[in-house]
């Protein structure tokens, strides 16, 4: 579904991704773990067409999308819920969700809106309130729901648990896990490695702009080096 | 009393024009944080282009429509050739770019058109209405209703259409806008086109009253800027109220003091606003952003 080959990128003269290779197959949940500053967000920015790629390729569902504009990638089904939620604080919750489906004007938008409300009932309650007034957890739900409105084949999630209370972390990750039933492939980036690996099929470990390890999630959870470096055990 | 009413009529008429200029500032400011000082040139282009297209034999409505379209196209070009390539530049640099663009457009108008003062006939003749001893030109009514129509149209666009909301979304969070699949370059172009069209509409409406020439944009931009500052930069209601207030202040200053002080009034308002309430009358953090 998603295939990255030898991807490099730089901020100014400083290269931060030094040749990333990774694959996400249809129907999988894949987790990328790595310390703060490893380059996880930068990789997702490249995947969504926000950050230009200096070398290497990105293929999505067979198409080379390395230089495609971000709106074209969304249309093809590669949708991101970014780090820090990035909701439209001045607009209402419902407006945020409808803008998630910006490229679609058909009847399915209303149906998807109801499904989003079913997934996160609190959003239905607050649908007409400005999104800026939501709590951190609610904003994260809104960010995920907004991305789902974009009809993702593959959903990119950047640190969905960042800044949330442990109980909310579990709730959000359970929801992510349940997306499998909706046939959504998920690529999730996390510093919170244990929780994120425990819902994943496979995982990658990234350090200073390079992939160090690629293995089934259970193997990573059992690996001594991973446990020491990222799981704090 | 009839004298005061007369000042109110003329104040509201020019005030409506200032409000449209301020609205043009607001649209671009909200989409890009740029204060576009070429806004006055859009008004000039609207009026001047209508004059020349009308003189070439096109009926007045056709001439006005073409002039507005032409100005909108120039707005798009301004964004494409001057603002977009400077993405990432500081706001101050972007403002200097727009000042450069305004000088360029004035020069261009001198060459393409001329340096004369022009007008075209008022839409509904020049016979004034007599109201309680004061006179009101039919064209003033066109200006007031035209400005109201533009305001209502923009309000509906921004609050009732998904594309209008996409403009607000782009202004609110450009990264998020791109991630939901909004083509933000298109939205920027659209904002400049809308802003230019609003300015040109003001030019079309007011030229039969105030006349036009290649250099009217400078003063209009300053008055419109004063209006936007007074109302609160970025707030469309502020733009409307600020514009009408500046018009009224100007008309009463000219009437009761001397028309020599007319232009000074706008500058005094800018200074007072900056010193006393830099947020303007309607603040910056309003939910009803256009
Ligand atoms: N906009 C930027 N300009 C310059 N350097 C940046 C920028 N964003 C991130 N970086 C640098 O790139 C590296 C990777 O950052 P990031 O992708 O945010 O890591 P992560 O998401 O894994 O925490 C870091 O060293 C960071 O300082
Ligand atoms: Mg990050």
């Amino acid at each position: 579904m998603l295939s990255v080959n030898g991807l490099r990128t730089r901020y100014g003269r400083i290269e931060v991704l030094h040749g990333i290779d990774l694959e996400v197959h249809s129907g999988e949940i894949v987790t990328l773990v790595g310390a703060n500053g490893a380059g996880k967000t930068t990789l997702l920015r490249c995947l969504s067409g926000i950050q230009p790629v200096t070398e290497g390729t990105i293929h999505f569902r067979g198409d080379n999308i390395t230089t495609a504009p971000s709106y074209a990638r969304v249309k093809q089904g590669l949708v991101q819920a970014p780090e820090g939620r990035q909701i439209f604080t001045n607009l209402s919750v419902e407006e945020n969700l409808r803008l998630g489906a910006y490229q679609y004007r058909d009847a399915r938008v209303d149906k998807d809106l109801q499904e989003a409300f079913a997934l996160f009932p609190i959003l239905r309650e607050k649908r007409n309130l400005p999104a800026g007034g939501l709590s951190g957890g609610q904003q994260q739900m809104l960010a995920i729901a907004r991305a789902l409105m974009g009809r993702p084949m593959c959903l990119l999630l950047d640190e969905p648990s960042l800044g949330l209370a442990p109980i909310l972390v579990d709730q959000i990750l359970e929801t992510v896990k349940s997306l499998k039933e909706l046939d959504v492939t998920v690529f999730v980036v996390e510093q919170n490695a244990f929780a994120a690996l425990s819902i994943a099929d496979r995982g990658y470990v990234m350090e200073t702009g390079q992939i160090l390890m690629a293995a089934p999630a259970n193997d990573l959870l059992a690996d001594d080096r991973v446990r020491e470096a990222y799981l704090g055990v | 009393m009839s004298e005061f009413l007369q000042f109110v009529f003329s104040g509201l008429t020019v005030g409506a024009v200032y409000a449209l200029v301020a609205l043009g500032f607001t649209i671009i400011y909200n989409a890009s944080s740029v204060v576009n000082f070429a806004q006055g040139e859009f008004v000039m282009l609207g009026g001047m282009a209508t004059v020349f297209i009308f003189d070439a034999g096109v009926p007045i409505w056709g001439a006005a429509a073409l002039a507005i379209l032409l100005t909108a196209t120039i707005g798009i070009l301004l964004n494409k050739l001057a603002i977009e390539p400077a993405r990432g530049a500081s706001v101050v640099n972007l403002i200097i770019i727009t000042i450069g663009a305004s000088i360029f457009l004035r020069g261009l108008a001198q060459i393409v058109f001329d340096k004369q003062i022009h007008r075209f006939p008022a839409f509904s003749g020049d016979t004034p209405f007599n109201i309680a001893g004061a006179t009101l030109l039919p064209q003033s009514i066109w200006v007031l209703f035209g400005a109201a129509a533009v305001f209502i149209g923009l309000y509906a666009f921004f609050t009732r259409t998904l594309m209008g909301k996409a403009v607000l979304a782009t202004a609110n969070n450009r990264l998020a806008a791109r991630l939901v699949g909004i083509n933000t370059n298109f939205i920027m172009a659209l904002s400049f086109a809308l802003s230019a069209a609003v300015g040109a509409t003001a030019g079309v409406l007011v030229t039969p009253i105030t006349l036009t020439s290649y250099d009217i944009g400078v003063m209009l931009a300053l008055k419109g800027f004063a209006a936007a500052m007074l109302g609160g930069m970025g707030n469309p209601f502020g733009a409307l109220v600020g514009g009408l207030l500046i018009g009224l202040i100007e008309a009463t200053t000219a009437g009761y003091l001397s028309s020599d002080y007319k232009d000074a009034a706008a500058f005094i308002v800018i200074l007072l606003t900056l010193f006393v309430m830099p947020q303007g009358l309607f603040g910056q953090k309003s939910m009803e952003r256009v």
Side-chain angles (χ1 to χ4, degrees), chain A residues 52-196:
Chain A
V53 168
T54 46
E55 226 183 287
T57 57
I58 305 167
H59 284 80
F60 184 62
R61 295 166 70 205
D63 295 328
N64 185 343
I65 58 159
T66 314
T67 57
S70 36
Y71 56 89
R73 301 180 198 214
V74 174
K75 186 93 192 181
Q76 286 184 64
L78 186 59
V79 187
Q80 181 178 166
E83 185 176 57
R85 293 116 198 191
Q86 310 288 346
I87 56 166
F88 302 116
T89 48
N90 289 348
L91 301 178
S92 75
V93 168
E94 181 171 336
E95 286 171 329
N96 269 266
L97 291 171
R98 288 191 179 278
L99 282 164
Y102 179 69
Q103 305 208 10
Y104 304 100
R105 311 278 152 115
D106 51 21
R108 195 178 142 189
V109 174
D110 286 311
K111 195 172 136 276
D112 286 350
L113 186 69
Q114 293 312 318
E115 272 177 28
F117 286 152
L119 198 59
F120 300 114
I122 186 76
L123 297 182
R124 187 200 300 277
E125 253 172 64
K126 309 213 164 192
R127 63 195 288 176
N128 294 320
L129 300 179
L134 298 181
S135 72
Q138 291 162 356
Q139 291 194 4
Q140 187 59 59
M141 292 176 200
L142 179 58
I144 293 175
R146 185 182 65 187
L148 290 174
M149 291 294 293
R151 304 180 189 175
M153 309 280 289
C154 179
L155 179 63
L156 307 173
L157 290 173
D158 196 348
E159 309 245 17
S161 74
L162 193 70
L164 299 189
I167 183 163
L168 275 174
V169 173
D170 290 344
Q171 193 195 334
I172 293 275
L173 288 174
E174 273 311 308
T175 309
V176 171
K177 208 171 153 190
S178 72
L179 294 178
K180 252 190 166 168
E181 276 111 68
L182 301 173
D183 282 327
V184 180
T185 304
V186 180
F187 182 55
V188 54
V189 156
E190 266 292 351
Q191 272 184 70
N192 189 344
F194 183 78

